[in-house]
Amino acid sequence: MSDMVKLLRDQTADAYKWSNKMVESIPRDKWSQTPDKLDTNVSWQIGHLMMSYYYHSIVVITGHQMDILKKIPMQLYSELFTKGDPKKNLNKINHNDLIHHFNLIQKRSIDTIESLSDDDLYQNLVQTEVQHPIAKNKYEALDWNIKHTMWHCGQLGILKRIIDTRYDFGLNN
């Protein structure tokens, strides 16, 4: 694996680790709480991140994955978590299924990145119905996936602080 691919893989894995830490720190019975000022909730954040991982680090890199589409209701998730209203999407999905699917997509994303060469990184994106909002090549899509994930980690951190407690980074130990 080249240094650039390894760097993208490691940064992606680290961003996923942070999103998982944030999600795991919030009690599941609070995942549907939608603070007025934020207009989002933990369930929607997880679903949105899962859909973005699939798009930014899999679909535009290698195309749709038929085995994933058979296992995960991506059409439903797209409706709920891409532009869907977080308040209207409550209780439409099982939290255990959602987190299982979230983890499956993360693993496939890492596997996809590991399959690339340096030359692949600068190839055009796989054409999809929806044009990528940021990237022109595979490197830019993977880089955006990392940045987008960390953006939502910040949103999860704010949600946690409002509906539960401040995130404990272990600094007071």
Side-chain angles (χ1 to χ4, degrees):
M1 182 180 327
S2 75
D3 288 345
M4 183 59 71
V5 171
K6 184 179 180 324
L7 178 66
L8 287 168
R9 189 239 8 232
D10 291 351
Q11 287 182 344
T12 300
D14 197 41
Y16 292 173
K17 183 173 128 184
W18 274 105
S19 66
N20 292 337
K21 279 180 165 182
M22 295 304 300
V23 166
E24 291 165 4
S25 75
I26 303 169
R28 286 195 185 189
D29 64 338
K30 296 184 178 189
W31 282 14
S32 296
Q33 290 184 23
T34 309
D36 289 335
K37 300 278 186 207
L38 293 183
D39 196 31
T40 191
N41 57 60
V42 176
S43 293
W44 190 89
Q45 291 287 320
I46 294 168
H48 180 75
L49 280 169
M50 179 183 57
M51 295 305 298
S52 73
Y53 297 166
Y54 184 67
Y55 180 75
H56 299 297
S57 69
I58 300 170
V59 172
V60 298
I61 306 300
T62 58
H64 280 289
Q65 304 294 297
M66 291 308 160
D67 63 320
I68 293 286
L69 296 176
K70 289 178 183 175
K71 292 178 190 173
I72 301 174
M74 297 303 273
Q75 184 66 36
L76 171 63
Y77 284 176
S78 180
E79 292 168 15
L80 296 175
F81 304 123
T82 302
K83 292 185 180 177
D85 182 341
K87 290 180 182 177
K88 292 181 181 175
N89 293 335
L90 299 176
N91 304 317
K92 292 191 177 180
I93 46 94
N94 176 290
H95 289 155
N96 291 332
D97 291 342
L98 182 63
I99 204 71
H100 175 69
H101 296 154
F102 186 58
N103 292 326
L104 283 174
I105 295 295
Q106 286 180 10
K107 181 175 180 346
R108 178 60 61 89
S109 170
I110 297 296
D111 291 346
T112 299
I113 295 167
E114 289 176 342
S115 75
L116 300 173
S117 69
D118 277 353
D119 290 339
D120 294 330
L121 295 176
Y122 299 99
Q123 290 179 355
N124 290 335
L125 300 173
V126 171
Q127 293 299 308
T128 62
E129 292 176 19
V130 178
Q131 183 178 358
H132 198 286
I134 304 294
K136 300 294 183 228
N137 62 42
K138 294 176 182 186
Y139 170 84
E140 291 172 351
L142 294 171
D143 183 58
W144 174 249
N145 185 56
I146 296 161
K147 292 170 181 167
H148 182 258
T149 299
M150 293 309 294
W151 172 267
H152 282 278
C153 282
Q155 292 182 4
L156 284 162
I158 291 169
L159 265 169
K160 177 174 175 48
R161 191 171 198 155
I162 292 171
I163 65 174
D164 188 43
T165 61
R166 184 172 184 248
Y167 183 78
D168 178 11
F169 287 91
L171 300 175
N172 295 327
N173 295 337

